[in-house]
Amino acid sequence: MNPSIEYAQIAPALIVFGAAIIGVLVEAFAPAASRTVVHGVLSGSAVVAAFVAVVALATDDAPPRAVILGSVAADGLSLALQGLLLTAALPALALMVARGNPLTHTEAVPLAMFALGGMLAFVSAEDWLTLFVALEVFSLPLYLMCALARRRDLLPLEAALKYFLLGAFSSAILLFGVALRFAATGSTDIAAAPQDEVLGAAGAALIGVGLLFKVGAVPFHSWVPDVYQGAPTPVTAFMASATKIAAFGVLVRITMVAFDDVPWRPVAAVVAVATLAVGSIAAVTQSDVKRMLAYSAIAHTGFLLVGVYAGTVRGMGAVCFYLAVYALSTVGAFAVAGAVREVQPDGRTVEVSELDRWAGLGRRRPALAGAMALFLLAFAGIPLTSGFVGKFAVFAAAAERGGVWLVVVGVLASAVAAVFYLRVIVTMYFAPDHEYTPEVPAADTLTWFAIGVGAVSVVMLGVYPQPLLDLFGDLSLLGR
C-alpha cells in the first residue's frame, strides 16, 4: 500500500522553504546591487502566500487528524501558531531589507526564511523525530544570523558562539529525552503513553529542559541578554518574536497531550515564579535598551508560563493571544531601538543603545519616542493596551485551575516591571539632554512599516480584542 502524502496540509511550510531555496539562487546569480530588493519582494510575497494557505486550511471543517504518515498534526493549534509566525515574520523581514540595516550580508534573508520554515514544521510536529529535525532546521540559521552584524567589533561573534554552544547542549538534552521517551513508549508518536513510568518521566524532564532553554526560562536564560544585545537588531526582532511563538506552541501541545503521566504543572509554576522574579528584577538595573528588552523578554516568558500552567483549552487560547500581542509589540520595540542611530564622521550610522543617550528623544523624534512609549506601556500591561488583555487572559486561565497565588505573583512582577518601562519613558521625555545626545536621522519606510504594525496591534487588540480571543478560545487540538 502506497503511503499517502497530504501536500496541501504542509503548503505553508513548502511555500516558505521554496522561497528560501530561490533566495539562495538569488545570492548566487543576482547582481549585488539588486539582491536586497529581490529578497524583500520574494520573502514578503512568500510570507503573504503562506498566510493565505493557512487561512484556506483553517476554513476547512475537517476534524483534527495526523497527516504525512502521522508525523504532522492538522489541527486548530498548529494553524493558529503558523498564522502567528507568519504575521510576526513579515515586519521582522522588513527590518532586514530596510535601508541602513546593520546586516553585513543579504544571505540573512534566505536564512531567515529557512528558519521560518523550520518553525512552521516545528509547531505542527506530531512525531518526536519530526519535532527534533524541525528544531535543528530553524536553530542552525539563527546561529549564523547572530554573527552577521556590521561594525560591531566582537559582540555579534560572541553572541553567535554563546547561542550556538548553549543551543547545541539544549538540543542534545532534548534528543536524549526523546530517546528515553521512545524507550518508555516504543513509539515516536508524541501522544504515545509510556509503559515505563521512570523512563517516561525522565524523558519528559529532559524534553522540558530543552524547550525551556528555547523560551529563555530561568534557570536556562543566561544566553538571552548577551544574544539579544550582540545580534543585529533585525535578527534580534525576528528571534525574540518567532522563536518564542514556536517554542511555546510546542510546549503547550506536549503538556496537554503528551505529559499526562508526569506532574508537570507544579514544575511549570515554580519555573514561572523564578522567571518572573529574575526577569523583572534584573531589568531594573540595565542601562542598555536592548539588554533591558532582553530581560523584559525573560519576564514575559514567566507570564506565558502562567498560561501554560492552566493546562486547559482556555489556557491554550490565552497563551496564543499573549504570543500574538507580545510578538508584534516586540518587533516594533526593536524596530525603534534600531532606528535610534547617530551619524559618524565618515557618514555611516550606528545604533545608540545606551539608555541615558536617549534623553530628549521625545523632543527630537516625537514619533519614534511615542511609538516606543506605546510598546513599553503594552509590555507593562497598562489598560487599553494589548498587553493588559494578554496578561488578564493568562491570569484568568490560571486562576480557574487553582493558580490564584500564581496570579498574585504575576501582578507583583508586573508592578516591578513597570518601573523600568516607565524609566525609559521618563528618560525620553523628561530627562535633560545627554552630553552626547545623537541627532537621530529619519527612519526608513520599511522600518516605519514594522513600527506601524506593532503600534496598530497594541491599540486594536487593546481596545477590541474579542474577535481574536474568540478565535483562539475555540482551537482544536489533536489528541485532546
Side-chain angles (χ1 to χ4, degrees):
M1 184 176 179
N2 293 327
S4 174
I5 307 295
E6 300 88 344
Y7 291 105
Q9 297 296 328
I10 57 173
L14 292 178
I15 293 170
V16 171
F17 278 129
I21 293 171
I22 296 174
V24 173
L25 298 178
V26 169
E27 283 295 320
F29 299 109
S34 62
R35 288 176 191 168
T36 300
V37 175
V38 175
H39 280 314
V41 174
L42 176 64
S43 61
S45 301
V47 169
V48 172
F51 186 82
V52 172
V54 169
V55 173
L57 291 171
T59 57
D60 186 3
D61 294 330
R65 63 197 188 281
V67 297
I68 317 297
L69 304 180
S71 62
V72 174
D75 57 12
L77 178 62
S78 62
L79 292 175
L81 293 169
Q82 288 178 345
L84 291 179
L85 284 169
L86 294 166
T87 304
L90 189 61
L93 288 168
L95 292 178
M96 292 184 190
V97 298
R99 175 174 48 84
N101 72 75
L103 294 166
T104 55
H105 298 80
T106 52
E107 290 97 325
V109 180
L111 285 173
M113 294 299 286
F114 276 117
L116 179 60
M119 293 175 188
L120 294 176
F122 189 63
V123 297
S124 60
E126 182 62 18
D127 178 273
W128 290 121
L129 295 182
T130 304
L131 184 143
F132 178 75
V133 171
L135 172 68
E136 293 306 294
V137 168
F138 85 73
S139 294
L140 293 174
L142 290 178
Y143 303 149
L144 293 173
M145 292 164 65
C146 286
L148 300 180
R150 182 186 294 121
R151 304 184 185 97
R152 291 289 302 281
D153 299 323
L154 297 178
L155 269 181
L157 298 179
E158 179 186 350
L161 183 60
K162 286 181 178 179
Y163 194 22
F164 169 70
L165 290 177
L166 293 176
F169 276 115
S170 71
S171 295
I173 291 170
L174 187 143
L175 186 59
F176 191 18
V178 168
L180 292 179
R181 201 73 184 173
F182 173 75
T185 63
S187 170
T188 58
D189 187 352
I190 284 178
Q195 307 301 316
D196 187 304
E197 293 183 0
V198 175
L199 287 179
L206 293 176
I207 292 169
V209 168
L211 291 176
L212 289 174
F213 168 86
K214 288 299 178 184
V215 300
V218 174
F220 315 107
H221 67 291
S222 60
W223 63 275
V224 176
D226 293 335
V227 173
Y228 279 31
Q229 182 184 17
T233 300
V235 174
T236 304
F238 177 76
M239 183 168 51
S241 56
T243 304
K244 193 86 76 178
I245 294 172
F248 264 106
V250 171
L251 197 59
V252 167
R253 180 181 297 279
I254 65 174
T255 51
M256 293 187 66
V257 304
F259 290 168
D260 290 338
D261 57 297
V262 293
W264 61 266
R265 292 181 68 241
V267 177
V270 171
V271 175
V273 171
T275 305
L276 287 169
V278 172
S280 300
I281 295 173
V284 176
T285 64
Q286 302 306 310
S287 59
D288 184 278
V289 174
K290 289 178 67 176
R291 201 169 182 87
M292 182 273 291
L293 290 174
Y295 279 106
S296 169
I298 294 172
H300 285 289
T301 295
F303 291 116
L304 284 160
L305 286 171
V306 173
V308 172
Y309 166 85
T312 60
V313 174
R314 179 176 180 178
M316 177 176 69
V319 169
C320 288
F321 182 87
Y322 199 112
L323 287 170
V325 301
Y326 168 78
L328 295 175
S329 300
T330 295
V331 174
F334 278 108
V336 174
V340 179
R341 315 174 68 85
E342 66 177 347
V343 181
Q344 298 293 298
D346 60 0
R348 61 188 177 90
T349 61
V350 296
E351 295 177 7
V352 178
S353 59
E354 299 89 349
L355 178 57
D356 57 354
R357 296 188 63 193
W358 281 40
L361 185 65
R363 296 183 292 275
R364 286 178 167 78
R365 291 295 178 190
L368 281 179
M372 191 64 170
L374 183 63
F375 297 135
L376 294 174
L377 292 174
F379 290 150
I382 302 301
L384 296 182
T385 65
S386 58
F388 172 79
V389 182
K391 289 183 179 179
F392 182 85
V394 295
F395 288 167
E400 274 189 350
R401 293 296 304 274
V404 175
W405 66 274
L406 198 54
V407 173
V408 173
V409 174
V411 172
L412 293 175
S414 297
V416 174
V419 173
F420 57 84
Y421 293 134
L422 293 177
R423 183 160 66 97
V424 178
I425 296 174
V426 169
T427 300
M428 292 191 298
Y429 285 99
F430 303 110
D433 287 356
H434 188 271
E435 181 182 359
Y436 300 105
T437 297
E439 290 294 337
V440 180
D444 180 74
T445 302
L446 290 175
T447 301
W448 277 115
F449 168 74
I451 296 172
V453 169
V456 170
S457 71
V458 168
V459 175
M460 292 298 295
L461 296 179
V463 176
Y464 190 53
Q466 201 58 49
L468 195 60
L469 286 172
D470 291 340
L471 177 64
F472 291 152
D474 192 29
L475 294 176
S476 59
L477 179 63
L478 181 64
R480 184 72 175 184

